[in-house]
């Protein structure tokens, strides 16, 4: 099988790139022009995984099928996991696909290409902490759903236990940990408000962070406001606390032990170990090293998003964030379109930090806006920050399915919540 442009990974960056390229280049050239590959058959925007985990977002409703997206955006889709990559031969191999009972559905396949973009994201970084097998992670929709099912069972168990108590520990107070703790507390209150007093139980959520403050990568004011909002929600925030080991029922830290019925690890990212086997240079956390045109040293091979180590402002690296993946998808779409039309393209990729927004539950957010959006560094909080946070998800959908369908989807989501409630309980 041969395709002109192959994009591996249909996440925040890869799917936007495939959609943009498909609409500009794919329309009249046939299905061999652009191929998107993903190990999943449907797309969930990764920054919403904490909502899936807490049950406030239903992946069955929110998930977008890659095949259907390909039809409307003029790219082909193939399900499969990248397992081998030969940059010199411009050839890659996808793992066979099995169904749940082990029966083979699709055999191993090889695909050759003219150019390939690696957009396979990242996973969790345990920094060698012992006991990682006892912690849940939120790397994909399956992880988030598995955690949600477990959480519902734990809620039920706590409601009927003599102690009437559930202890939750979240390691890492970056955006993921902070948002997950707030969302879980709301899920708990929603369940409580709908159950009789004999089923009431207490939830203790502890957020553990090694840095001196939460949201350490964001301005201090954002971090201070977020910490205060979490404390108001009765979430225990422990900063400057190093996790030494994880056990089945507790987290061992340099400040003592924290009892935990369930533990979530949300501290740090690392790209796949297998990235080291592809003959491309990678950094300490397995990200493919690219230049400021997102090119790897192999001709025709590019990388973007969380799996790429891209230079920024001389001595820094572009952060692993959805807005970076989005900007890189825009950049490559422009570069490839120009190349295919025989036009010169001299621009290099320049990451622009537009600020950060953090959700603190249903009606509350906090964050800062930067650069052209605000003309400086502008602090926002409350409902406005929450609405702006929600608009980021809509902007991602707009890049993939356009304004009209995004508006319909948003309306459907509101209607669904009115009918079924905010929380998914099954
Ligand atoms: C809970 C959570 C909250 C977050 N909140 C924010 C936020 O508020 N703001 C922000 O900017 N960022 C946030 N992030 C980070 C953001 O989600 C990532 O930076 C962004 O998704 C990276 O985009 P990507 O395209 O590089 O990778 P991803 O979006 O992770 O997509 C990677 C894709 O590659 C596929 N894939 C992986 N390996 C293979 C393989 N071997 N073969 C085939 N397919 C493969 C995966 O199935 C996936 O679809 C959050 C992350 C999490 C987990």
């Amino acid at each position: 099988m041969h395709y002109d442009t192959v994009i591996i990974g249909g996440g925040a960056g890869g799917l936007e790139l495939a959609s943009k390229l498909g609409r500009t280049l794919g329309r009249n050239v046939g299905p061999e022009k652009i191929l998107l590959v993903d190990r999943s058959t449907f797309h969930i925007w990764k920054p919403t995984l904490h909502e899936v985990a807490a049950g406030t977002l239903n992946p069955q409703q929110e998930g977008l099928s890659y095949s259907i997206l390909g039809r409307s955006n003029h790219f082909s889709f193939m399900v499969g996991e990248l397992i081998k990559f030969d940059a010199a031969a411009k050839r890659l191999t996808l793992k066979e696909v099995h169904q749940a009972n082990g029966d083979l559905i699709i055999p191993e396949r090889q695909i050759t290409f003219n150019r390939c973009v690696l957009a396979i994201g990242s996973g969790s970084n345990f920094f060698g902490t012992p006991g990682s097998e006892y912690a849940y992670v939120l790397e994909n929709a399956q992880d988030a759903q598995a955690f949600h099912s477990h959480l519902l069972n734990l809620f039920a168990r706590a409601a009927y236990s003599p102690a009437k108590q559930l202890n939750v520990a979240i390691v890492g107070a970056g955006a993921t940990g902070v948002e997950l703790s707030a969302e879980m507390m709301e899920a708990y209150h929603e369940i409580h408000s709908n159950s009789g007093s004999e089923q009431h139980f207490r939830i203790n959520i502890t957020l553990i962070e090694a840095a001196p403050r939460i949201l350490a990568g964001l301005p201090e004011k954002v971090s201070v406001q977020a910490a205060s909002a979490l404390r108001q929600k009765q979430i225990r925030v422990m900063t400057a606390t190093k996790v030494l080991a994880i056990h089945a029922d507790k987290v061992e830290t340099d400040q003592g032990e924290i009892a935990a019925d369930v533990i979530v690890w949300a501290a740090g990212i690392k790209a796949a170990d297998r990235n080291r086997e592809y003959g491309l240079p990678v950094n300490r956390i397995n990200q493919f090293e690219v230049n400021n045109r997102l090119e790897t040293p192999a001709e025709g091979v590019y990388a973007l998003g969380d799996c790429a180590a891209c230079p920024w402002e001389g001595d820094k690296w572009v952060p692993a964030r959805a807005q970076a993946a989005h900007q890189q998808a825009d950049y490559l779409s422009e570069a490839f379109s120009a190349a295919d039309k025989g036009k010169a393209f001299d621009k290099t990729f320049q990451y622009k930090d537009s600020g950060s927004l953090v959700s603190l539950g249903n009606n509350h957010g906090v964050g800062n806006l930067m650069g052209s959006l605000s003309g400086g560094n502008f602090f926002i909080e409350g409902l406005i920050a929450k609405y702006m946070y929600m608009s980021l998800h809509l902007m991602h959908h707009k890049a993939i399915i356009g304004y009209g369908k995004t508006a319909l989807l948003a309306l459907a989501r509101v209607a669904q919540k009115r009918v079924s409630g905010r929380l998914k309980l099954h």
Side-chain angles (χ1 to χ4, degrees):
M1 280 180 281
H2 181 84
Y3 288 83
D4 179 63
T5 301
V6 179
I7 300 158
I8 315 280
L15 178 57
E16 288 195 16
L17 176 61
S19 304
K20 281 176 188 155
L21 274 184
R23 289 197 297 263
T24 47
L25 299 176
R27 198 179 291 269
N28 301 316
V29 289
E32 279 75 37
K33 180 70 186 169
I34 299 153
L35 173 71
L36 177 69
V37 173
D38 201 287
R39 59 186 175 194
S40 173
T41 53
F42 70 98
H43 169 76
I44 286 277
W45 195 49
K46 203 173 176 184
T48 58
L49 287 184
H50 65 281
E51 296 176 53
V52 176
T56 48
L57 187 137
N58 185 342
Q60 272 75 36
Q61 276 157 18
E62 284 291 321
L64 298 171
S65 151
Y66 288 119
S67 298
I68 292 173
L69 292 174
R71 217 178 305 145
S72 47
N73 286 303
H74 314 285
F75 63 80
S76 300
F77 173 70
M78 202 181 281
V79 65
E81 182 176 345
L82 176 73
I83 48 167
K84 285 185 206 146
F85 193 83
D86 185 338
K90 293 196 164 182
R91 187 176 57 228
L92 57 88
T93 307
L94 301 181
K95 193 178 173 182
E96 70 267 23
V97 180
H98 293 269
Q99 63 184 38
N101 67 2
D103 287 355
L104 182 69
I105 308 174
I106 311 172
E108 189 173 288
R109 290 138 291 161
Q110 289 203 330
I111 297 168
T112 54
F113 55 82
N114 296 335
R115 65 186 164 210
C116 178
V117 181
L118 295 157
I120 51 181
S122 63
S124 311
N125 193 345
F126 280 89
F127 305 101
T129 310
S132 58
E133 66 275 21
Y134 297 118
Y136 279 83
V137 291
L138 298 185
E139 293 179 5
N140 51 47
Q142 288 73 29
D143 290 340
Q145 281 175 284
F147 175 77
H148 176 61
S149 302
H150 187 56
L151 187 66
L152 289 181
N153 290 339
L154 289 174
F155 278 177
R157 196 171 76 186
Y160 294 100
S161 71
K164 296 261 178 198
Q165 176 160 286
L166 174 64
N167 296 315
V168 180
I170 301 173
V171 183
T176 305
V178 167
E179 291 178 344
L180 178 65
S181 63
E183 207 72 31
M184 272 175 66
M185 192 52 104
E186 293 217 339
Y188 160 78
H189 284 303
E190 190 139 338
I191 285 194
H192 248 201
S193 65
N194 293 322
S195 57
S197 58
E198 76 283 357
Q199 290 174 35
H200 281 190
F201 61 94
R202 184 181 156 77
I203 193 168
N204 303 311
I205 301 179
T206 307
L207 189 57
I208 308 163
E209 170 59 52
R213 63 181 174 95
I214 67 165
L215 300 169
L218 304 190
E220 195 157 353
K221 189 168 180 189
V222 176
S223 146
V224 169
Q225 294 294 335
S228 145
L230 293 183
R231 288 197 181 100
Q232 273 174 26
K233 287 177 187 287
Q234 313 290 319
I235 293 165
R236 182 180 173 211
V237 178
M238 291 179 71
T239 49
T241 304
K242 192 170 181 324
V243 172
L244 304 175
I246 302 168
H247 303 271
D249 56 354
K250 65 183 175 212
V251 179
E252 195 183 321
T253 78
D254 60 358
Q255 306 294 319
E257 290 181 350
I258 299 154
D261 299 299
V262 64
I263 300 155
V264 184
W265 187 271
I269 63 135
K270 188 178 170 207
D273 288 337
R274 202 188 273 142
N275 291 359
R276 297 193 165 271
E277 298 166 13
Y278 298 154
L280 298 166
V282 291
N283 67 6
R284 202 171 34 87
I285 55 166
N286 304 331
Q287 291 170 311
F288 302 109
E289 290 175 5
V290 294
N291 61 17
N292 58 11
R293 291 175 176 272
L294 306 183
E295 297 162 332
T296 70
E299 196 272 318
V301 179
Y302 303 76
L304 66 70
D306 282 12
C307 74
C310 177
W312 178 39
E313 291 181 348
D315 57 342
K316 291 193 275 188
W317 302 101
V318 173
R321 297 174 59 187
Q323 61 170 305
H326 162 78
Q327 291 175 27
Q328 291 177 331
D330 272 354
Y331 172 82
L332 281 186
S333 155
E334 232 188 294
F336 293 172
S337 302
D340 284 16
K341 288 173 189 158
K343 290 186 189 161
F345 187 77
D346 298 331
K347 251 172 47 184
T348 54
F349 173 73
Q350 306 289 342
Y351 172 65
K352 289 186 199 72
D353 189 347
S354 312
S356 298
L357 294 162
V358 179
S359 165
L360 297 169
N362 196 14
N363 294 317
H364 195 190
V366 62
N368 69 312
L369 301 179
M370 286 169 73
S372 53
L373 260 175
S374 65
N377 189 346
F378 180 62
F379 175 80
I380 54 168
E381 67 175 326
L383 203 53
I384 296 179
K386 178 67 188 189
Y387 283 148
M388 290 197 75
Y389 174 89
M390 283 157 63
S391 74
L392 298 177
H393 192 188
L394 297 179
M395 275 157 65
H396 172 65
H397 275 171
K398 192 217 86 192
I400 301 163
I401 55 178
Y403 277 111
K405 286 182 186 162
T406 300
L408 272 178
L409 211 66
L411 281 175
R413 192 174 169 190
V414 172
Q416 178 68 34
K417 283 197 188 296
R418 284 271 157 90
V419 175
S420 310
R422 198 169 107 80
L423 205 59
K424 182 173 175 282
L425 293 172
H426 57 278

